[in-house]
Amino acid sequence: MKRLIVILISIFLLGSGLWAQADSPAAGSSAGVVSEIRRDEGGLRLFVKGEPFEVKGVVWSYIPIGENYTYNLWDQPEDIIKKMIDRDARLMKDMGVNAIRVFSDVPPKWITYFYRQYGIYTIVNPLFGRYGVSARGIWYPLTDYSDKYSREVIKRDTLEVVETYKDVPGVLMFLFGNENNYGLEWDSGVIQDLPVGQRSEVRAGYLYSLFEEAIAEAKQISTAHPYGIVNGDIQYLNLIEELVPSLDVLGVNTYRGGAAQDLFYQSVESLGVPIVYTELGAEAWNAATQQEDQFNQARYIFEQWREIYQQSYGKGKSQNVIGGFVFEWMDEWWKHLQTENLDVHDTEGTWSNGAYAHDAVPGVNNMQEEWFGIVAQSPRKDDGIHRRIPRAAYYLLQELWKLPLYDSSSTDVADHFAAAASSSVLARGEANGIKEEEAWNPISLQGFTARVEGRIAADDQTIAADWMTDAAFTNGQELTLTLGLQPLDNLTGFTTLKVWANPILPAWGEAPKYLGYDDTTGETDGHINLYAGEFTYSNDLFDLTGYYRSGRPDWMLHGDAFNLMPEAWDRLGMDKDGSDAPLGLQLDGKQALQGLRLAIGPEVYWGALPLVAANYYREFTGDGVTGSFGLMYLEEFAARENAYPGEIPGRRASLSGSLGIGPYLFAEAGVLFSGSESVGETFYQSGPADEPGGGVNGSDIAVTEDTIDYLDTLAFKVRLGTDIIRYTRIWAQYLQAGLVAAGNPMIPRSGFQVADSGAGNRREINAGARFIYGDFTAEGIFRWRKPLVDPMTAVGSYTLRSNLTDPFAVYWNRETIEAEVVATFDPEGATYFHDWNVQDRENAKIAASLSFLYTFYAGPTDAGVFKAADGAWFAFPSGLPEASGLWTLAGKVYSNPLPGLKINFDGRIGTQQSTGESERLVNFIGLGLDMRYRNLFIGGGADFSAWGPEVWHRQFNITYPLQWHGEIAYGFDTPSMMTTETRIGLAASGRSFGTYSADDEPGEGSLNKFTLYVDLTY
């Protein structure tokens, strides 16, 4: 079989013209050999500049708390980079580290800085398509190493790295990939034709043949350093031997607990090249005891390095190990959820490994990716960098590495390790370690914000006169405290309190309801508020989370096709409305309960009635086939004070599923039952009379009475699509919802301005396409919608329907023809351009998006509804008329042109309609520009002839000729582009008044406000 695979791979390579001339004489361009492998009777050693070099390294992790994989250290100001390197390299040097391995491309100048300042070398490690490749304008998350174009791109990029770094002082060697043999998951026609058992090995053959091509051609660029690969353990060792004859070093990532067992013997017999451990180690969290466990982390690392010494040069065994890199230098707080809880040190395991027997429990993931550091990082900072807290393993390695790897005997190794085992490293680690920084305490201070504001408000007449005397002055002081709670190891949570002397009010708009603020007296009904809280109880079968105003994601990725459980993140909007959402409990099943989700509470999302919800969702994968199914059941069991008047407690259920067959077809379908509570209710509908004058009161309009039946409670939708067209996905969806078959509105995503309304009484066709080429994405959607029952025509004593008095109404489901296109350029794949926090996280030199929406409302509406200031609901006297020529053009540009400099721009222009009853169309323009240079923030924007910021501004068609804002601030830390935390600043804003301003506002002139604030957030 092995020979057959080699022959197949060779035929492929010869046929495609890709076989590298490995036997050609090297023509390296370097000045001379920097590092090389030498063999003698004692075994194999690495030499650097003619001297033996023992690799005593770490995998350097540096991502700060609160950041994730999108963080790019090398885009930071130079002094920040230097501080980060100096903080870690000093500790590394004291420990005995002489080499690092990094998962990012370290710029040449900083490799040299590591080397010249601290004597630490760097492995240059291009990832070789491990996490995807972009070929012919398409991003492939699963790299196909048999594809000609993908091979060309990977080899080209790898050789460019060699060309860039070949003469850089401080480079130790070149290693390609990162356990790529664990990512051989692509399918192709050739692969699919093979028996299932042979597919993985054939895929691996393509991978290792490409490794050989890259190494052979790299040696023609430079022979100054050894070349190797980073393999996942010793899988496919037979193919490495056959297909990679140019290999100089085998890098191995292995997690075999305390002993590698047969690893050394197999490798020395087959390859004849040295091994360097590119990853080995253990995590410092015990999944069984749910506690930090420095002892077992140090114990495993002790055993691993004892075996490295025993198998190294001159010991009479395999004699082929040149050292290793401990994984990893520092804890990374982002690795569990990757985009969530970035400031939480999660303890949930992400994979299981029985080789670490001390906490191996069947069915439990015992490997905690966020706890592998031999140093911890503290939330506290010194000079802008999180504190490093060495663990016991740090001090252990400091002792172990004092013994030479090569120039020691087996007896020396035994004696030295016996002495180190009885040393006090564990006591040093625990005394100096994370217990000091994160000591267990049932109550701890997780964060606080102290904010003080002073504001001056003056109209244009006051400013022109004696504004220092006549202007209105207000001030506010607020303290926000977040207390961490951990009464038990598996019960954690937090609570947030707000305390104020004078309330801090928004410059414009409504005060948060929790203040109990009276705008006539300027007083509040208290000075302390339990603002938010959350707890999580975890065991083997489930996680139970309690929410109180803390935010909760929707269930749409868990089989909720009609958004029956929408997200609850809009804290600002809910504060103004007085909502306590999310308020309730949620259970997420694990192991035997995997896929089960339950929720109960008085307001689990904004506006929800008291309810209980149950959901079951599972995904499956097969041979080129993927699929899922989801069940939802929701029972509302009581009314709620101040709830929407038209709502009555009821029940809803949905069933959904999906199926994908390679790139050829994906299908999604869902069915909704919205409960029987409205069945039997009557409603009126209008239409043309049978004959002129034969309608109501002699008009041409007739009105008939009808009732809601069970079919009116049902909705279904079907979506079909395909990816078979290169660069393109196309899809179409049909939805039909009965008169009262409503879900909840969805939130626009991916840069779109409009999303599904969730309304009943409609049939709707959507069709779309997405085109992706390289860094450019274009996506478009066409929507056609028509209500099953048209809006009422007011005639005689018959009025328009509204959701306050009728079982249904025509509003968001009105007859519509709509088209929308979004074009995005984003060369930074690690950050999603349309993510909620992209203003802070986008790392590209320049990224941009442009969206265009055109809408034709082909029919009128019934009466819309609004909520008055006292909380009462009312219906407008009339509906909205048909409207054409509605459009919006919106754009965003995010740029990082220089280290430390970030520039964000956004703009919008268009013509749109009110959401109340006004016939007047609004032509508006808006612009915004924010800039940050290191700790300095300057930003501002202006809107012309636009609605105000509140929902009711658009409902009542209230617009202002000009609304503007500006701010200049200095951050005590790097200031956010989204919030005003941790800085001192001056903010100014204003608006001018005109014909269409609010009734209680002047018809001309302006009002301007200037706010000086200080915000200290920890």
Side-chain angles (χ1 to χ4, degrees), residues 919-1000:
E919 296 185 12
R920 179 175 67 96
L921 301 183
V922 174
N923 302 305
F924 61 89
I925 299 176
L927 300 169
L929 180 65
D930 294 332
M931 295 182 290
R932 180 182 72 201
Y933 180 68
R934 305 186 70 169
N935 292 69
L936 179 66
F937 173 86
I938 300 174
D943 289 278
F944 303 91
S945 300
W947 292 293
E950 306 296 338
V951 172
W952 52 266
H953 280 126
R954 185 166 181 179
Q955 287 179 323
F956 289 93
N957 223 14
I958 296 171
T959 58
Y960 299 94
L962 172 65
Q963 299 171 85
W964 64 274
H965 69 277
E967 181 180 351
I968 182 169
Y970 178 82
F972 305 117
D973 202 345
T974 302
S976 169
M977 306 290 277
M978 302 171 62
T979 69
T980 59
E981 293 180 348
T982 318
R983 60 201 198 190
I984 180 171
L986 175 63
S989 58
R991 64 174 51 152
S992 62
F993 305 103
T995 304
Y996 302 109
S997 301
D999 293 340
D1000 59 349

Side-chain angles (χ1 to χ4, degrees), residues 688-935:
D690 293 336
E691 56 185 40
V696 177
N697 295 341
S699 70
D700 294 334
I701 300 173
V703 175
T704 58
E705 184 178 15
D706 204 344
T707 59
I708 301 295
D709 59 30
Y710 276 96
L711 284 178
D712 296 323
T713 69
L714 300 177
F716 73 91
K717 60 181 176 181
V718 177
R719 174 182 293 210
L720 299 174
T722 181
D723 296 325
I724 60 173
I725 302 174
R726 182 173 291 277
Y727 312 124
T728 305
R729 162 172 284 195
I730 57 174
W731 59 271
Q733 174 179 289
Y734 179 76
L735 177 146
Q736 181 157 325
L739 300 184
V740 294
N744 283 303
M746 299 181 185
I747 295 175
R749 304 189 189 277
S750 302
F752 286 99
Q753 302 176 41
V754 176
D756 191 278
S757 68
N761 183 31
R762 60 178 168 139
R763 59 173 62 91
E764 183 165 336
I765 296 175
N766 292 350
R770 183 178 64 203
F771 174 85
I772 301 177
Y773 186 85
D775 301 327
F776 176 77
T777 301
E779 190 164 3
I781 295 179
F782 170 81
R783 307 179 183 98
W784 173 86
R785 178 173 59 246
K786 185 173 177 57
L788 302 177
V789 174
D790 289 331
M792 276 289 292
T793 299
V795 58
S797 61
Y798 297 99
T799 60
L800 300 184
R801 299 188 209 96
S802 83
N803 285 323
L804 298 182
T805 57
D806 298 275
F808 71 94
V810 174
Y811 205 83
W812 301 113
N813 49 3
R814 67 195 294 193
E815 186 173 357
T816 303
I817 298 174
E818 192 166 62
E820 188 169 6
V821 177
V822 179
T824 305
F825 172 76
D826 186 6
E828 178 56 73
T831 52
Y832 176 51
F833 186 90
H834 299 293
D835 212 349
W836 67 274
N837 57 355
V838 68
Q839 295 99 312
D840 278 331
R841 293 200 174 275
E842 179 59 62
N843 290 325
K845 293 295 182 185
I846 187 168
S849 179
L850 187 68
S851 67
F852 179 76
L853 170 68
Y854 179 85
T855 304
F856 169 43
Y857 289 127
T861 71
D862 283 319
V865 298
F866 64 91
K867 189 176 184 180
D870 61 1
W873 287 89
F874 297 92
F876 286 99
S878 59
L880 287 167
E882 174 186 309
S884 62
L886 305 180
W887 62 278
T888 299
L889 179 68
K892 298 177 181 180
V893 179
Y894 302 135
S895 177
N896 300 272
L898 299 171
L901 177 63
K902 179 180 281 291
I903 301 173
N904 292 350
F905 168 82
D906 68 275
R908 57 221 158 265
I909 183 173
T911 299
Q912 287 296 339
Q913 188 181 37
S914 163
T915 55
E917 61 176 350
S918 173
E919 296 185 12
R920 179 175 67 96
L921 301 183
V922 174
N923 302 305
F924 61 89
I925 299 176
L927 300 169
L929 180 65
D930 294 332
M931 295 182 290
R932 180 182 72 201
Y933 180 68
R934 305 186 70 169
N935 292 69

